[in-house]
Amino acid sequence: GQQLNQSPQSMFIQEGEDVSMNCTSSSIFNTWLWYKQEPGEGPVLLIALYKAGELTSNGRLTAQFGITRKDSFLNISASIPSDVGIYFCAGQSNSGNTPLVFGKGTRLSVIA
Amino acid sequence: DAGVIQSPRHEVTEMGQEVTLRCKPISGHDYLFWYRQTMMRGLELLIYFNNNVPIDDSGMPEDRFSAKMPNASFSTLKIQPSEPRDSAVYFCASSSGLVSEQYFGPGTRLTVT
C-alpha cells in the first residue's frame, strides 16, 4: 500500500525557535492534511491543502503542498510550550477512491 | 456540533473477555473510520463505512475483530475474545466524503491484561 515518509521522527527545540517538518510520498497526492495530537487526545486537524504549490497559514503554522505533489511541509514559527505534541501528515492519492494515508508522526518537544 | 464522541474513554479487561467500543460520528458525515494507534505501528486504518455500509475491512487484524454501523449515528467495534496484543488506543473518525478532512474522536484506550 501507499506509504508516507515523515521526518524527523522527533525534535527537541528551545522555546522561541522555528520548527520545520516534512512528509514525502512515492506517488502523487491530491490532498495533504496536517494534524496535531496532544497526549490523551485524538488528532486535531490543523491545515488542509488541496492544490499543488498552495501555501496556507493558521496562526504561527504554515504548510505547503509541494509542486511535485509528492511532498508537503509544515513550519511552526516562534514555538511555545503548548506546541508540544505529535504532528501527523496525511495524504490522499490521485485516484480519489482511497482513504487518507497517515505518516508515522513527528514528536515535538519544546524546552522552556 | 459536539464532534465525534467515543465511549468508553478507557477500558481495562482481562484476556478472553469481549470488548465493545462505541462511536457517534458528526451529524451529516457519511464516512466513518476506525483506527488503531500503537507506538510500534502508528495509526492503522482498520475499517471504514460509507452510508453505514462497510467499504474496506482489509485492515481488520483478525476474525476476532468486527465492526458494525446499524445507523448513521452509531458504530461499534467489537473484539472477541480480546488478547493482550490488542492493547492500544482506538480512534473513530468521520468525514463528509472520502476526499475530505477527517475529524477524530478522543479515542478509547484499551488495556487487555
Coordinates of all heavy atoms in Angstrom, one line a residue, chain A residues 31 33 35 37 40-43 45 48 50 88 92 96-100 102 104 107, chain B residues 9 33 35 37 39-43 45 48 91 98-106:
Chain A
T31 N -4.4 15.6 -2.1 CA -4.7 16.3 -0.8 C -3.7 16.0 0.2 O -3.2 14.9 0.3 CB -6.1 15.7 -0.3 OG1 -7.1 15.9 -1.2 CG2 -6.5 16.4 1.0
L33 N -3.0 16.9 4.4 CA -3.6 17.4 5.7 C -2.5 17.3 6.8 O -1.7 16.4 6.7 CB -4.8 16.6 6.1 CG -5.9 16.5 5.1 CD1 -7.0 15.6 5.6 CD2 -6.5 17.8 4.7
Y35 N -2.2 17.2 11.0 CA -2.9 17.1 12.3 C -1.9 17.2 13.4 O -0.7 16.9 13.3 CB -3.5 15.7 12.4 CG -4.7 15.4 11.5 CD1 -4.6 15.0 10.1 CD2 -6.0 15.5 12.0 CE1 -5.7 14.8 9.4 CE2 -7.1 15.3 11.2 CZ -6.9 14.9 9.9 OH -8.0 14.6 9.1
Q37 N -1.6 15.9 17.5 CA -2.2 15.1 18.6 C -1.5 15.4 19.9 O -0.3 15.3 20.0 CB -2.1 13.6 18.3 CG -2.7 12.7 19.3 CD -2.6 11.2 18.9 OE1 -1.7 10.8 18.2 NE2 -3.4 10.4 19.5
G40 N -3.3 12.0 25.2 CA -4.6 11.6 25.7 C -5.8 12.0 24.8 O -6.9 11.9 25.2
E41 N -5.4 12.6 23.7 CA -6.5 13.1 22.8 C -6.4 12.6 21.4 O -5.3 11.9 21.0 CB -6.4 14.7 22.7 CG -6.6 15.4 24.1 CD -7.9 15.1 24.7 OE1 -8.9 15.0 23.9 OE2 -8.0 15.1 25.9
G42 N -7.4 12.8 20.6 CA -7.3 12.4 19.2 C -6.6 13.5 18.3 O -6.5 14.6 18.8
P43 N -6.2 13.1 17.2 CA -5.6 14.1 16.2 C -6.6 15.2 15.9 O -7.8 14.9 15.7 CB -5.2 13.2 15.0 CG -5.1 11.8 15.5 CD -6.1 11.7 16.6
L45 N -7.3 18.4 13.3 CA -6.9 19.0 12.0 C -6.4 20.4 12.2 O -7.0 21.2 12.8 CB -8.1 19.0 11.1 CG -7.8 19.5 9.7 CD1 -6.8 18.6 8.9 CD2 -9.1 19.6 8.9
A48 N -5.4 22.1 5.9 CA -5.7 21.2 4.7 C -5.3 21.9 3.5 O -5.5 23.1 3.3 CB -7.2 21.0 4.7
Y50 N -5.1 21.6 -0.9 CA -5.8 20.8 -2.0 C -5.2 21.1 -3.4 O -5.7 20.6 -4.4 CB -7.3 21.2 -2.0 CG -8.0 20.7 -0.8 CD1 -8.3 21.6 0.2 CD2 -8.3 19.3 -0.6 CE1 -9.0 21.1 1.4 CE2 -9.0 18.9 0.5 CZ -9.3 19.8 1.5 OH -10.0 19.3 2.6
F88 N 1.1 14.9 12.6 CA 0.9 13.9 11.6 C 0.6 14.6 10.2 O -0.2 15.5 10.2 CB -0.3 12.9 11.9 CG 0.0 12.0 13.0 CD1 -0.5 12.4 14.3 CD2 0.6 10.8 12.9 CE1 -0.3 11.5 15.4 CE2 0.8 10.0 14.0 CZ 0.3 10.3 15.2
Q92 N -3.9 12.0 0.4 CA -4.8 11.1 -0.4 C -4.3 11.1 -1.8 O -4.0 12.2 -2.4 CB -6.3 11.6 -0.4 CG -7.2 10.7 -1.0 CD -8.6 11.0 -0.6 OE1 -9.0 12.1 -0.5 NE2 -9.4 9.9 -0.4
G96 N -8.3 9.2 -5.8 CA -9.5 9.7 -5.2 C -10.5 8.7 -4.7 O -11.5 9.1 -4.1
N97 N -10.2 7.4 -4.8 CA -11.1 6.4 -4.3 C -10.5 5.6 -3.1 O -10.9 4.5 -2.8 CB -11.6 5.5 -5.4 CG -10.5 4.7 -6.0 OD1 -9.3 4.9 -5.7 ND2 -10.8 3.9 -6.9
T98 N -9.5 6.2 -2.5 CA -8.9 5.6 -1.3 C -8.9 6.6 -0.2 O -8.8 7.8 -0.4 CB -7.4 5.1 -1.6 OG1 -6.7 6.3 -2.1 CG2 -7.4 4.1 -2.7
P99 N -8.9 6.0 1.0 CA -9.0 7.0 2.2 C -7.6 7.6 2.4 O -6.6 7.2 1.8 CB -9.4 6.1 3.3 CG -9.0 4.7 2.9 CD -9.1 4.6 1.4
L100 N -7.5 8.5 3.4 CA -6.3 9.1 3.8 C -5.2 8.1 4.2 O -5.6 7.1 4.8 CB -6.5 10.1 4.9 CG -7.3 11.3 4.7 CD1 -7.5 12.1 6.0 CD2 -6.6 12.2 3.6
F102 N -1.7 8.0 6.5 CA -1.1 8.8 7.5 C 0.4 8.5 7.7 O 0.8 7.3 7.5 CB -1.7 8.6 8.9 CG -3.1 9.3 9.1 CD1 -4.2 8.8 8.6 CD2 -3.1 10.5 9.8 CE1 -5.4 9.5 8.7 CE2 -4.3 11.2 9.9 CZ -5.5 10.7 9.4
K104 N 3.9 8.5 10.1 CA 4.1 8.0 11.5 C 4.2 9.1 12.5 O 4.3 8.8 13.7 CB 5.2 7.0 11.5 CG 5.0 5.8 10.7 CD 5.9 4.6 11.1 CE 5.6 3.4 10.3 NZ 4.2 2.9 10.6
R107 N 7.3 13.8 16.7 CA 7.1 14.1 18.1 C 7.9 15.4 18.4 O 9.1 15.4 18.4 CB 7.5 13.0 19.0 CG 7.1 13.1 20.5 CD 7.5 11.9 21.2 NE 6.8 10.7 20.9 CZ 5.6 10.4 21.4 NH1 5.1 11.1 22.4 NH2 5.0 9.3 21.0
Chain B
R9 N -13.8 6.0 27.4 CA -12.5 6.6 27.2 C -11.4 5.7 27.6 O -10.3 5.7 26.9 CB -12.4 7.9 27.9 CG -13.2 9.1 27.5 CD -12.9 9.5 26.0 NE -11.5 9.8 25.9 CZ -10.9 11.0 26.1 NH1 -11.6 12.0 26.6 NH2 -9.6 11.1 25.9
F33 N -14.6 6.0 10.1 CA -13.4 5.2 10.1 C -13.0 4.8 11.5 O -13.2 5.5 12.4 CB -12.2 6.1 9.6 CG -12.5 6.8 8.2 CD1 -13.2 8.0 8.2 CD2 -12.0 6.2 7.1 CE1 -13.5 8.6 6.9 CE2 -12.2 6.9 5.8 CZ -13.0 8.0 5.8
Y35 N -9.7 3.4 13.6 CA -8.2 3.3 13.5 C -7.7 2.7 14.9 O -8.4 2.8 15.9 CB -7.6 4.7 13.4 CG -7.7 5.4 12.1 CD1 -8.8 6.2 11.9 CD2 -6.8 5.3 11.1 CE1 -9.0 6.9 10.7 CE2 -6.9 6.0 9.9 CZ -8.0 6.8 9.7 OH -8.1 7.5 8.5
Q37 N -4.1 2.9 17.2 CA -2.8 3.5 17.3 C -1.9 2.8 18.3 O -2.4 2.6 19.5 CB -3.0 5.0 17.7 CG -1.7 5.8 17.7 CD -1.9 7.2 18.1 OE1 -2.7 7.6 18.9 NE2 -1.2 8.1 17.4
M39 N 2.5 2.5 19.5 CA 3.8 3.1 19.4 C 4.5 2.5 18.2 O 5.2 3.2 17.4 CB 4.6 3.0 20.7 CG 4.1 3.9 21.8 SD 4.4 5.6 21.5 CE 6.2 5.7 21.6
M40 N 4.4 1.2 18.1 CA 5.2 0.5 17.1 C 4.7 0.7 15.7 O 5.4 0.9 14.7 CB 5.2 -1.0 17.4 CG 5.9 -1.4 18.6 SD 7.7 -1.1 18.4 CE 8.1 -2.2 17.1
R41 N 3.3 0.7 15.5 CA 2.8 0.8 14.2 C 2.1 2.1 13.8 O 1.6 2.2 12.7 CB 1.8 -0.4 14.0 CG 2.4 -1.8 14.3 CD 1.3 -2.8 14.4 NE 0.8 -3.1 13.1 CZ 1.2 -4.1 12.2 NH1 2.2 -4.8 12.6 NH2 0.6 -4.3 11.1
G42 N 2.0 3.0 14.7 CA 1.4 4.3 14.4 C -0.1 4.1 14.2 O -0.7 3.3 14.9
L43 N -0.7 5.0 13.4 CA -2.1 4.9 13.1 C -2.4 3.9 12.0 O -1.9 4.1 10.9 CB -2.6 6.3 12.7 CG -3.2 7.2 13.7 CD1 -3.4 8.6 13.1 CD2 -4.4 6.7 14.3
L45 N -5.5 2.1 9.8 CA -6.9 2.1 9.4 C -7.4 0.7 9.5 O -6.8 -0.2 8.9 CB -7.1 2.6 8.0 CG -8.5 2.6 7.5 CD1 -9.4 3.5 8.3 CD2 -8.5 3.1 6.0
Y48 N -13.6 1.1 7.2 CA -14.4 2.3 7.1 C -15.7 2.0 6.4 O -15.8 1.0 5.6 CB -13.6 3.4 6.4 CG -13.3 3.3 4.9 CD1 -14.2 3.9 4.0 CD2 -12.2 2.7 4.4 CE1 -13.9 3.8 2.6 CE2 -11.9 2.6 3.1 CZ -12.8 3.2 2.2 OH -12.5 3.1 0.8
F91 N -9.3 4.8 17.7 CA -10.0 6.1 17.3 C -11.1 5.8 16.3 O -10.9 5.0 15.4 CB -8.9 7.0 16.7 CG -8.0 7.6 17.7 CD1 -6.7 7.2 17.8 CD2 -8.4 8.6 18.6 CE1 -5.8 7.7 18.7 CE2 -7.5 9.2 19.5 CZ -6.2 8.7 19.5
L98 N -15.2 10.9 1.0 CA -13.9 10.2 1.2 C -12.8 11.1 0.9 O -11.7 11.1 1.6 CB -13.9 9.0 0.2 CG -12.7 8.1 0.3 CD1 -12.6 7.4 1.7 CD2 -12.7 7.0 -0.8
V99 N -12.9 12.1 0.0 CA -11.9 13.1 -0.3 C -12.2 14.3 0.5 O -12.6 15.3 0.0 CB -11.9 13.4 -1.8 CG1 -10.7 14.3 -2.1 CG2 -11.8 12.2 -2.6
S100 N -12.0 14.2 1.8 CA -12.4 15.2 2.7 C -11.7 15.1 4.1 O -11.2 14.0 4.4 CB -13.9 15.2 2.9 OG -14.3 16.3 3.7
E101 N -11.6 16.2 4.8 CA -11.0 16.1 6.1 C -11.7 15.2 7.0 O -12.9 15.2 7.1 CB -10.9 17.5 6.7 CG -10.2 18.5 5.9 CD -11.1 19.6 5.4 OE1 -12.2 19.8 5.9 OE2 -10.7 20.4 4.5
Q102 N -10.9 14.4 7.8 CA -11.4 13.5 8.8 C -11.3 14.2 10.1 O -10.3 14.8 10.5 CB -10.7 12.2 8.8 CG -10.9 11.3 7.6 CD -10.2 10.0 7.6 OE1 -9.8 9.5 8.7 NE2 -9.9 9.4 6.5
Y103 N -12.4 14.0 10.9 CA -12.4 14.5 12.3 C -12.4 13.4 13.3 O -13.3 12.5 13.2 CB -13.6 15.5 12.5 CG -13.5 16.7 11.6 CD1 -14.0 16.7 10.3 CD2 -12.9 17.9 12.1 CE1 -13.8 17.8 9.5 CE2 -12.7 19.0 11.3 CZ -13.2 19.0 10.0 OH -13.0 20.1 9.2
F104 N -11.5 13.4 14.2 CA -11.3 12.3 15.1 C -12.0 12.5 16.4 O -12.1 13.6 16.9 CB -9.8 12.1 15.4 CG -9.0 11.5 14.3 CD1 -8.7 12.2 13.1 CD2 -8.6 10.1 14.4 CE1 -8.0 11.6 12.1 CE2 -7.9 9.5 13.3 CZ -7.6 10.3 12.2
G105 N -12.4 11.4 17.0 CA -12.8 11.4 18.4 C -11.7 11.4 19.4 O -10.5 11.3 18.9
P106 N -11.9 11.4 20.7 CA -10.9 11.4 21.7 C -10.2 10.1 21.9 O -9.1 10.0 22.5 CB -11.6 11.9 23.0 CG -13.0 11.4 22.8 CD -13.3 11.5 21.3

